[in-house]
Every structure is written in structure tokens, then in C-alpha cells.
Amino acid sequence: MDKRFIYADNAATTAVSEEVLEAMLPYFREGYGNASSIYKLGRDAQRAVENAREKVAKALGAEPREIFFTSCGSEADNWAIKGTAELLEKKGKKHIITSVFEHHAVLHTTEYLEKHGFDITYIPVSDKGLIDPEEIRKAIRDDTALVSIMYANNEIGTIQPISEIASICNEKGVLFHTDAVQAVGHVDIDVHKQGIDMLSLSGHKIHAQKGIGVLYIRKGIVLPNLIHGGGQERGKRAGTENVPAIVGLGTAIEVATRNISEKNAVIIPRRNKLIDNILKLPYTRLNGDRDKRLPGNVNISFEGVEGESLLLMLDMNGICASSGSACTSGSLDPSHVLLSIGLKHEVAHGSLRLSIEDDITDDDVDYILEVIPKVVKHLRDMSPVWEKMMKGEKYE
Ligand code: PLP
């Protein structure tokens, strides 16, 4: 077996693309001005920031003044949720609806608000990892301030019926936020047409650098300022702009949203080949809906296999993958996402996420399909759990 390097963990982060790097470089070098300075160097930086804002707005179907740059997707989620809570608490609205399998940037924020007197409803998801919009309708109350539902799940890749959920929220007069960190660049999004009030995204998932994000806030919603200080981001989020990162994000989102369907036409057959062939191994299951999932997401559980060992052995074979979300790896708790779709702890522990893009070749797919069965067999041969399973004995 020849050894090579295959990066199949794009949901964790992506490489900065050449195009993005080229766009950024001038703002580290000759274009280093502070975007608030009035001389030409500063004005040029300011223009570059506004140009990037226009690109983000265009990619999302928003207006530039509805786009606010943040330091990451987590910051955008925090701002949307805590900001809405602060805004509407004054009107007696202290109820928030979200789902059980959101990213921790949302869940830990709602848990924080719970400690401060907010009532949170966590909508369950089906065994396929989908939310029923009618559950949201039923959960909305007179004191509901916000509904926050992720566009696509970071672990199992399921894509939620966002337009339907938004339309229920609009009808009921409740604000709707979506964490679209994993969706941008993979599905078509139009915030105005879809009735989305707030949307978070993150640069490092779409080939921009780490540490840059966006919160889209529909005009008319006046969230409290996130960072007090200077007048940047129309006074809402102070701090000298990270011009190269913002410029990079502008280019990244333009490229990522340019040919979504053409890219998906390349990725989906390769993803399906991976899924179909891995599922030929005994005692495996696909996590998440077969069709309503991100084009590049493969998430499969292998009974009798320990996820961390699987990842290490794949790494030894030059394949980068993940067993849960990157943010929680290192923790021994099984993924809350996999538990939410009904997996038993030991099955959730033996899960693998591959997240591929259109740079993956047929040859790479074949290589992955050559390595995985060997690694799984090796780990199962060493596993006392697998041995007990095969003997039909009880195991924990
Ligand atoms: N939301 C989702 C769904 C994510 O997958 C991530 C990152 O993995 C985040 C939020 C956080 O984004 P960032 O890393 O930019 O803070």
C-alpha cells in the first residue's frame, strides 16, 4: 500500500487557498494602513474592507450594511443569541428555542443564559438528524425571543429545512438566527428570500484564514453593541479591523459560492462511493440523512472500534479525518450530536467523519477505501468488545 497525504477533514478547517492568500498579501505589505485613518493608505484599507463586505452581502443575498465582521463563527453565534436576549428581555421575552445538537458555540451560550434566568427549549432531532419545523411552531410562546437552528450539522452534515423554519418564525413574529458555519459555500443561501433574520459564518471553513467571521443582521434589528470602543463596524463591534483577514474572507466567499452546483456534481458521487463501500463492512451504520446532507460529509459508526484509534491509524496512513467535531476531540465524552440521534455510547465512540471537497480525486477515494477496511479489521481483531460481540456475549 503506497503512503500518501489526503486531507478529508474540511469541516474542521480548510487550507487558505492561493487566491485568498494573493488577495490578502498586499494588506500585510504596502497596504498596511489603519482603515480609520483619513490619508490615502487608510482610505485604501477602508475601501478594501467595504469591498469585502459587498462580496459577503452578495454571496448571502443581503445588503452590505447588514454584514458585520467578527473574529470567528463562535463570536457571531454569541452576539446573535446574547444580543437578542438582552434586546428582548426588556420586553419580557425570556424564552429561546434551539436544538439539542447545535454546535457548542450555541449550546454553551444558551446554557449561560439559562443561568441568567432564560428558559430554553431544546428541540429534539429525528434518528436521521433532522428537525421537524412543526416542533418549532409548537414550541413558540408569547415570550419567545429567538429561535436559533443550525443550517447544517458539523458532525453528521444534515441540512435543516431552514426556509420553512424561518417562515414559521416570521409568521409568529419571532426572530430567527441560523448558524450557517458549515453550510456556506455548500448550499445556496439567500437570507432575504429565505426570511433569515441573523446568520453566522466562519472564514476558516471556506478557505479563508482562521479568526474571521461574520454576523449578518437584518436591517431593522438593533442588537446591542458587542464590543465598546471605537466606531468600527458602525460602532457595533469596536476594534481596528483585521484588514487582510476581511479581504481574504471576501475573496473566499466569492469563490466558495461561485459554482456550488458544479462543485457538488463532482463531490456527491465520490461521497456516495465512500458511503456505499464503507457500509459494506459488517456492523456499520451511516449517521445522518442519506440525501439531506452536506455534499462532502460522510459519517459512519463502526461497532467494536474505538474512534480515536481509528483516527490515529488513518493518520499513520496519511489520511486526516475526525471522529466528532474538532472542538470536542480530546474529550472522552461521546459526541452530543451522535447521542441526540439515538446512538448508544459505545457506538458513538466508534464513529468516523470524513469531510471532502472537490479536490479529492477518484484515486484518493480508492485509497481511502483500501485503507479503512484494513484498519477496521486490525482494530476489531484487537478489541475485547468486538470479541464479545462476535460470541454473542453482553458487553459495555
Ligand atoms: N458553528 C459550527 C456549526 C461549527 O462547525 C463551528 C466550528 O467548527 C463553529 C460554529 C465555530 O466557528 P469558529 O471556529 O469560527 O469559532
Side-chain angles (χ1 to χ4, degrees):
M1 199 190 298
D2 56 336
K3 186 165 180 232
R4 58 175 101 183
F5 178 77
I6 299 174
Y7 186 71
D9 204 15
N10 290 282
T13 197
T14 58
V16 172
S17 69
E18 268 308 310
E19 227 169 328
V20 167
L21 185 62
E22 283 305 315
M24 291 170 72
L25 283 176
Y27 297 93
F28 287 110
R29 294 181 176 141
E30 62 279 9
Y32 55 82
N34 184 324
S36 301
S37 302
I38 57 164
Y39 41 80
K40 185 173 180 307
L41 196 65
R43 291 198 312 273
D44 286 350
Q46 180 65 25
R47 199 167 306 118
V49 167
E50 293 317 316
N51 191 16
R53 199 185 308 282
E54 277 167 27
K55 288 181 179 168
V56 175
K58 188 160 177 246
L60 297 178
E63 289 179 24
R65 63 180 164 146
E66 297 175 314
I67 302 300
F68 294 86
F69 292 109
T70 63
S71 73
C72 57
S74 302
E75 182 181 312
D77 284 341
N78 271 255
W79 190 11
I81 299 168
K82 287 193 218 156
T84 306
E86 190 186 327
L87 181 73
L88 295 180
E89 184 180 16
K90 296 179 208 118
K91 296 189 176 161
K93 297 194 176 210
K94 294 191 76 174
H95 175 231
I96 292 174
I97 299 169
T98 187
S99 81
V100 287
F101 80 159
E102 297 292 313
H103 189 271
H104 285 130
V106 167
L107 288 180
H108 288 169
T109 306
T110 54
E111 283 162 19
Y112 165 84
L113 288 172
E114 241 170 334
K115 290 194 190 111
H116 288 79
F118 279 79
D119 192 12
I120 316 290
T121 301
Y122 296 95
I123 302 287
V125 295
S126 71
D127 57 354
K128 292 268 192 311
L130 293 170
I131 289 170
D132 175 359
E134 285 311 308
E135 293 283 326
I136 309 267
R137 184 191 295 282
K138 278 190 248 157
I140 292 178
R141 316 190 307 216
D142 289 345
D143 64 340
T144 306
L146 178 73
V147 172
S148 178
I149 299 291
M150 70 199 318
Y151 211 118
N153 185 270
N154 45 306
E155 292 188 38
I156 57 174
T158 46
I159 300 169
Q160 304 307 323
I162 290 301
S163 303
E164 278 173 77
I165 297 172
S167 117
I168 291 172
C169 294
N170 295 170
E171 183 194 313
K172 299 267 187 186
V174 173
L175 291 180
F176 176 60
H177 164 252
T178 185
D179 172 342
V181 167
Q182 293 289 340
V184 170
H186 303 293
V187 297
D188 289 311
I189 298 179
D190 188 314
V191 285
H192 285 177
K193 279 200 191 125
Q194 291 177 274
I196 297 168
D197 294 314
M198 285 170 274
L199 175 145
S200 310
L201 66 88
S202 176
H204 75 104
K205 311 289 184 180
I206 53 168
H207 300 282
Q209 68 162 77
K210 293 159 190 64
I212 183 73
V214 160
L215 181 63
Y216 147 78
I217 311 174
R218 184 175 54 73
K219 62 176 182 279
I221 302 172
V222 188
L223 284 195
N225 298 350
L226 179 67
I227 298 179
H228 305 281
Q232 295 91 353
E233 298 302 295
R234 301 213 312 287
K236 298 215 128 321
R237 185 196 182 272
T240 302
E241 296 90 340
N242 185 344
V243 180
I246 291 173
V247 168
L249 176 57
T251 302
I253 201 164
E254 193 176 45
V255 175
T257 54
R258 201 182 277 155
N259 302 314
I260 293 184
S261 42
E262 282 91 331
K263 277 187 294 186
N264 290 351
V266 174
I267 305 168
I268 291 173
R270 293 187 179 152
R271 175 202 70 189
N272 288 347
K273 184 171 176 187
L274 284 168
I275 292 176
D276 292 339
N277 284 284
I278 298 173
L279 287 180
K280 284 183 189 156
L281 296 174
Y283 296 95
T284 51
R285 61 160 273 166
L286 176 68
N287 297 316
D289 192 82
R290 177 82 211 208
D291 304 312
K292 291 177 188 144
R293 72 188 302 129
L294 289 171
N297 176 286
V298 175
N299 190 312
I300 289 182
S301 295
F302 301 85
E303 287 189 50
V305 169
E306 212 277 303
E308 301 287 306
S309 315
L310 182 58
L311 292 190
L312 291 175
M313 290 206 64
L314 290 179
D315 186 29
M316 279 157 54
N317 285 282
I319 301 168
C320 300
S322 177
S323 66
S325 66
C327 334
T328 49
S329 69
S331 140
L332 286 177
D333 293 335
S335 134
H336 69 288
V337 172
L338 298 176
L339 296 183
S340 78
I341 57 169
L343 262 62
K344 289 193 277 187
H345 281 225
E346 61 276 13
V347 179
H349 267 304
S351 300
L352 171 71
R353 178 189 72 186
L354 300 168
S355 40
I356 58 167
E357 290 200 343
D358 60 343
D359 61 338
I360 194 158
T361 63
D362 283 323
D363 218 31
D364 293 337
V365 169
D366 290 341
Y367 176 74
I368 295 173
L369 290 174
E370 194 184 328
V371 171
I372 287 182
K374 290 184 187 167
V375 167
V376 169
K377 180 175 182 326
H378 178 79
L379 292 172
R380 281 178 170 166
D381 285 349
M382 297 189 326
S383 160
V385 170
W386 179 252
E387 197 183 332
K388 283 188 181 163
M389 265 181 72
M390 291 302 101
K391 287 186 187 153
E393 292 171 11
K394 252 179 82 72
Y395 63 93
E396 283 302 317

